[in-house]
Structures are given as C-alpha cells and as structure tokens.
Amino acid sequence: MSADGTILAKKIRKSFGHKTVLKDIDLEIASGEICCIIGPSGSGKSTVLRCINGLETVDSGVLKVNGEDFGYYETENAYHALPPKKLAEQRTRLGMVFQQFNLFPNMTAHENIMSGPVLVKGADKKESAKRAHELLASVGLAGFGDYYPAQLSGGQQQRVAIARSLAMDPEIMLFDEPTSALDPEKVGEVLAVMKDLAKKGMTMVVVTHEMGFAREVADSLIFMDDGYIVERGDAREILSNPKEPRTQAFLEQVL
Ligand SMILES: Nc1ncnc2c1ncn2[C@@H]1O[C@H](COP(=O)(O)OP(=O)(O)OP(=O)(O)O)[C@@H](O)[C@H]1O
C-alpha cells in the first residue's frame, strides 16, 4: 500500500440518539500537515478523531483517509459498508494516542510496542523486537523496555503509547488530548516527542488544550463549537488574530 497521509471529509454528520454532535464537518488535511483542533468541552473534537479512526461510524458524508473511502462509500442514494477486513486494514495505517495511555498493563513497554506488528500484522518477532528497541530510544526511553506500565510515570507511559502506535508504521497519527492526564512537569517530554514526529513529516491531527504547542508546531488550526467548525486556517494567524467572536471568546479564556 503506497503512502498517502491525507484526510478528506465532506459534510460529515454524527448523532448519538437525538443529539447531533457533528454538523456538516469538512476537513482537508494534506500529507505532512499538523492540524490542531481546539474548542470547548463537548464541542465534538474527540468525535471527529474517533470517526477518522473508525471507532465511530459517521451517519452521512464523505470520508476518505489515506486517499481511500474509509469504512464505507456513498452512492447517490445509499451508503455501502466496505468489508470489515478492509476497515481493519485501513485502521492499521492510522495511529491513535489517547488521553489515558491505554497500554496493556500485563505487558512490558517492549512487549506493548511489539504487540501490534506481531499480533495484528504477523510480523517477524526478531525484526519487531529490534524495531521496538529503536522506537523506545526514539522516544527517550532506551533501557525502559522491561518496565511494566505501572512502573512508569504518566509521561513515560504516554511516550510508550506513541512508540506503540509508530510500530505499525502509520501514515497518520491522531492525538486526543495526549497531555491532559499528565502532571504539568511531564507535559513537555511528550510534546517534545510529538514535535520530533512533526519534523519528520508525519500527518498529525491533535486535539489539544496546549496552545503553545499549536502556535509553535501546527500548520493549521480548527476551532470547533457545538458540533460545528467555527473557524479554521493558519494556526498562528488564528491564535493571534481570531476572526469569529466565538473563537475570540474561547481564546480569551484559555490564553
Ligand atoms: N458514545 C457516545 N454516546 C452518547 N453521547 C456521546 C458519545 N460520545 C460523545 N458523546 C457526546 O457528544 C458530544 C461531543 O463529545 P466529544 O467527546 O466529541 O467532545 P469534545 O469536544 O472532545 O469534549 P472534551 O473536550 O470534553 O473531550 C458531547 O455532548 C458528548 O456527551
């Protein structure tokens, strides 16, 4: 499968019961772009990521990830699900990092990182072990391979979680408030790993409250409120000169 690293959404809608959570969301994210999504609690930020990752299915709209119809495709009058095997394959090309690190507690850091390639892709164990060592080193955790999650700090666990996602060689990485559960002094070490990844050309969509990271690293910024994209554009431009009153009010609270 050739790399693509793009995300395209047109008029995505998603409801839970009677509540419409995503209201005609459009996205166009280029390969290598770093896009931060900000907005108040409950505005739909996580749901956008969960739809891109296939953890939720959208109710309507077009969604293409890595250049392919994702999970389903639309014809004039109907939606057609792609075979579940196809969705599973598409999902292996996306990495997702959650607020709660979600590591397997009964596996070491090293085993956590190897688990995807070996169990999901059937990769060679020796090769995967070598790669896990390299990935641990790349997130600043060389020598921590034998530690279990409970023996690691939150910042270390989150870096293992990032390495675990990278072990699958994704074209796109999605981050859902990756530093929100961390002690303030651990936030920087996770953001440093994310900055490093951004420099390497990974496509990244990051739901975050870290405005400093958005200003420094993001190419584009999306401000969501009440299921809508209220404002989007160049990250630094919006952060210093928001056009929409709702964005202005939000940024006044958080900056
Ligand atoms: N599985 C679900 N079932 C029912 N309602 C849901 C579900 N997931 C999300 N919601 C609702 O959808 C709305 C948007 O939630 P979402 O988590 O996407 O917002 P968010 O902007 O990421 O919020 P936060 O910053 O608090 O994480 C909220 O009202 C939430 O309660």
Side-chain angles (χ1 to χ4, degrees), residues 3 31 42 69 75 85 119 124 132 142 186 196 211 225 229 248:
S31 179
D69 287 314
T75 54
K85 213 173 153 198
L119 299 177
D124 178 72
K186 306 290 183 195
D196 198 35
M211 298 303 150
D225 194 10
I229 292 180
Q248 287 165 8

Side-chain angles (χ1 to χ4, degrees), residues 16 19 21 39-48 56 176-177 207 209:
F16 294 109
K19 188 174 166 64
V21 174
S41 184
S43 54
K45 307 180 298 294
S46 294
T47 307
V48 168
E56 303 285 356
D176 193 358
E177 300 194 23
V207 170
H209 296 294

Side-chain angles (χ1 to χ4, degrees), residues 155 158-159 162 178-179 182 186-194:
Q158 193 60 301
R159 285 183 282 151
I162 293 171
T179 57
L182 300 179
K186 306 290 183 195
V187 169
E189 62 192 49
V190 171
L191 293 181
V193 168
M194 292 170 63

Side-chain angles (χ1 to χ4, degrees), residues 102-118:
N102 293 7
L103 295 173
F104 299 118
N106 56 342
M107 290 184 188
T108 64
H110 192 262
E111 288 165 348
N112 263 282
I113 297 171
M114 280 180 66
S115 62
V118 172

Side-chain angles (χ1 to χ4, degrees), residues 1-42:
M1 189 68 62
S2 62
D4 181 304
T6 65
I7 301 168
L8 179 75
K10 281 189 195 159
K11 290 193 180 303
I12 283 184
R13 291 183 74 83
K14 175 73 185 169
S15 298
F16 294 109
H18 294 299
K19 188 174 166 64
T20 303
V21 174
L22 300 183
K23 302 167 181 169
D24 293 339
I25 297 295
D26 291 333
L27 296 170
E28 196 164 348
I29 296 175
S31 179
E33 182 172 334
I34 315 301
C35 175
C36 283
I37 304 180
I38 62 170
S41 184

